[in-house]
Amino acid sequence: MSASLLYGANVSANGIRQHYLRYGGKGRPVILIPGITSPAITWGFVAERLADRHDVYVLDVRGRGLSSTGPDLDYGLDAMAADVIGFAQALGVGAPALLGHSMGARIAMRAANTGGEFSRLALIDPPVSGPGRRPYPSKLPWYVDSIRLALAGIDVEGMKAFCPTWTESQLQLRAEWLHTCFEPAIVTAFEDFHKDDIFPDFATLKQPSMLMVAGRGGVIAPEDEAEIRGLNPAIEISRVPNAGHMIPWDDLDGFFEALGDFLSR
């Protein structure tokens, strides 16, 4: 167990149980919102580094990890954004920074644009697919097939077929926790990548914001960057040239170099 991991806990917020892991405990608060099939524990290696300077809260998004799940919940973007607003209010952390990866970045933007009080946003390679746009490069069966295997019980060797470049420890965590990702929640989020146009959210961000682009991710293209700059000229854009969409997994040092001091300014 990491020395910077203080504890895991649950809080009732926005009408559901939200589970989180807290790292560090000192410095400015940061809420880390993972992506579509990443329970909080899988971001521990990033939170440990952030905890050197920040009070870090890593969320289990609804339908994942130890947070509320099941067929009766709304898994749309607005509901997940309301969870983040409710979470920050329930814990009384003031105006935290948000660091969201992929789906988590979309959640962060929507939360900031719907009444949440947040100091700044680090948006890590958010899907920019949407109506009339090119599709998200990953395919739904990649998620669904791996979740179903995890529900039955999958080992590290089986997980390598889905994440061949990951380290042994990263594969172990994914094999252990992927079964907690509720398939309908994942399907809804994936479909919303194509139904919910996120570009208007860039235009209305008031907080200092950074967009981090994976050089080998195929998620954000140069024309997307140009459109985002046109919508919000104040947004900072950084790149991690040698990383795919799962940036910290591919290049952890590159991720932190691109992030720089953004969260602590």
Side-chain angles (χ1 to χ4, degrees), residues 37 45 48 61 64 68 80 103-104 115 117 143 175 198 207 213 217 252 254 265:
T37 54
F45 72 111
E48 289 169 6
V61 179
R64 297 143 179 97
S68 289
M80 295 187 291
M103 179 192 76
E117 295 185 12
Y143 300 102
I198 205 68
Q207 300 86 349
V213 178
L252 184 61
R265 285 183 209 157

Side-chain angles (χ1 to χ4, degrees), residues 24-72:
K26 297 179 180 179
R28 294 182 181 179
V30 175
I31 297 175
L32 195 161
I33 313 167
I36 188 169
T37 54
S38 296
I41 189 67
T42 63
W43 274 82
F45 72 111
V46 176
E48 289 169 6
R49 290 263 298 256
L50 290 171
D52 290 341
R53 301 174 68 180
H54 302 286
D55 185 9
V56 186
Y57 300 81
V58 190
L59 284 181
D60 273 332
V61 179
R62 60 168 62 198
R64 297 143 179 97
L66 300 181
S67 288
S68 289
T69 191
D72 298 327

Side-chain angles (χ1 to χ4, degrees), residues 68-263:
S68 289
T69 191
D72 298 327
L73 289 184
D74 178 357
Y75 295 105
L77 181 57
D78 289 339
M80 295 187 291
D83 286 346
V84 174
I85 295 171
F87 178 81
Q89 293 172 344
L91 291 186
V93 291
L98 298 182
L99 186 154
H101 172 250
S102 190
M103 179 192 76
R106 291 166 66 98
I107 294 171
M109 281 195 282
R110 188 61 54 88
N113 282 326
T114 52
E117 295 185 12
F118 305 108
S119 60
R120 53 188 50 237
L121 309 178
L123 309 169
I124 313 304
D125 217 40
V128 292
S129 45
R133 300 181 183 275
R134 71 183 186 284
Y136 184 60
S138 294
K139 306 303 179 185
L140 185 58
W142 187 89
Y143 300 102
V144 171
D145 292 349
S146 60
I147 290 169
R148 291 179 181 177
L149 288 170
L151 281 168
I154 191 172
D155 60 12
V156 168
E157 287 303 312
M159 194 56 71
K160 281 182 180 177
F162 296 91
C163 308
T165 64
W166 289 21
T167 67
E168 192 86 358
S169 62
Q170 290 165 353
L171 290 166
Q172 285 174 340
L173 276 178
R174 190 162 181 84
E176 179 184 2
W177 283 90
L178 186 60
H179 75 92
T180 68
C181 294
F182 184 51
E183 184 179 321
I186 281 35
V187 172
T188 296
F190 184 88
E191 290 176 346
D192 282 354
F193 288 171
H194 303 89
K195 295 177 182 177
D196 204 336
D197 189 355
I198 205 68
F199 278 86
D201 287 78
F202 283 106
T204 52
L205 292 175
K206 301 296 191 295
Q207 300 86 349
S209 300
M210 165 189 281
L211 175 68
M212 189 184 296
V213 178
R216 296 189 288 104
V219 174
I220 300 175
E223 58 267 28
D224 301 318
E225 290 187 39
E227 184 173 355
I228 291 165
R229 281 195 185 279
L231 292 168
N232 187 343
I235 197 166
E236 297 182 32
I237 298 181
S238 63
R239 294 175 187 80
V240 186
N242 296 318
H245 180 58
M246 302 297 285
I247 296 176
W249 280 257
D250 289 345
D251 186 356
L252 184 61
D253 289 336
F255 170 80
F256 277 99
E257 182 179 348
L259 186 63
D261 67 348
F262 176 77
L263 293 175

